[in-house]
Amino acid sequence: REHITYDENITPFLDALEELNKKTPLDGLRWSLEHAETISPANIARVKALGGGIALDTKMAMHGDSFVKTHGREKALQTPRLRHLVDSGVPLAMTTDAFRAASFNPWIGISWMVSGKSISGAEILARDNRLTRAEALGLFTRKAAWFTSTESEMGMIAPGYLADFALLDRDYFSVPESQI
């Protein structure tokens, strides 16, 4: 049986939202797609045009090796299209997905986004699809605040902001990638 991709499933939904938007504009509503790891560039642009966001989890950090076996290495190297998503400007956040698909530990996902390696050490994210350390960290902090309309009070450590924070024993921005 042929595997149906997320993108094939989401296209009719976006078609319907575009029709709805013509009659009842979605302006100002914050909505998002979840688990859109295989979304196409065309559908990323459609989500952005409709004012939506995309929230992904970091399951490829833990399950990327299985994805390679099922879908092939070339597909895995571009799944999700992290660089394209960040560069598109669509609201984007990374989540832990409550450990069903990924670990509660955000550093596992951040390491994967920066190094391109799964927890097994296998390269499963192409070099041109990886993120900088600041971009990866931002997807769990500042960028995630958009999804709850809390950008003015959460997402960074600053006066007047609510914050959870961690004290690290090393500088995330300077440690070797293997230590993230």
Side-chain angles (χ1 to χ4, degrees):
R1 182 173 169 186
E2 188 173 322
H3 178 75
I4 295 175
T5 67
Y6 181 91
D7 207 53
E8 291 165 351
N9 287 330
I10 197 61
T11 297
F13 174 73
L14 291 174
D15 292 344
L17 275 181
E18 287 168 341
E19 284 302 311
L20 174 66
N21 189 49
K22 290 176 186 174
K23 296 175 186 139
T24 306
L26 299 174
D27 293 341
L29 294 180
R30 293 194 182 194
W31 61 273
S32 64
L33 297 178
E34 312 293 320
H35 306 285
E37 281 78 14
T38 59
I39 192 168
S40 68
N43 279 341
I44 292 167
R46 293 173 74 190
V47 170
K48 183 179 178 185
L50 288 166
I54 298 174
L56 305 174
D57 59 53
T58 59
K59 72 173 138 265
M60 291 293 281
M62 296 179 70
H63 306 291
D65 299 312
S66 294
F67 188 94
V68 168
K69 289 177 186 171
T70 304
H71 302 284
R73 180 170 162 69
E74 291 309 308
K75 178 95 174 158
L77 291 172
Q78 296 300 320
T79 302
R81 293 175 169 90
L82 289 176
R83 175 53 43 211
H84 183 90
L85 284 158
V86 168
D87 291 347
S88 76
V90 69
L92 176 67
M94 295 305 271
T95 72
T96 61
D97 198 33
F99 89 87
R100 287 182 325 116
S103 169
F104 276 125
N105 181 349
W107 297 108
I108 292 172
I110 289 171
S111 175
W112 158 71
M113 290 186 285
V114 171
S115 73
K117 294 180 180 177
S118 69
I119 58 171
S120 73
E123 180 184 39
I124 56 164
L125 195 60
R127 188 165 296 283
D128 65 355
N129 195 23
R130 297 176 195 168
L131 303 182
T132 67
R133 292 174 193 226
E135 289 169 330
L137 184 61
L139 292 179
F140 275 102
T141 56
R142 290 180 297 100
K143 302 293 185 171
W146 180 89
F147 292 80
T148 56
S149 300
T150 56
E151 304 95 320
S152 65
E153 62 188 71
M154 294 176 72
M156 60 184 180
I157 298 173
Y161 279 65
L162 302 172
D164 289 331
F165 63 93
L167 295 176
L168 306 176
D169 64 350
R170 286 163 279 162
D171 180 4
Y172 161 68
F173 290 101
S174 64
V175 296
E177 282 183 358
S178 63
Q179 293 180 17
I180 295 176

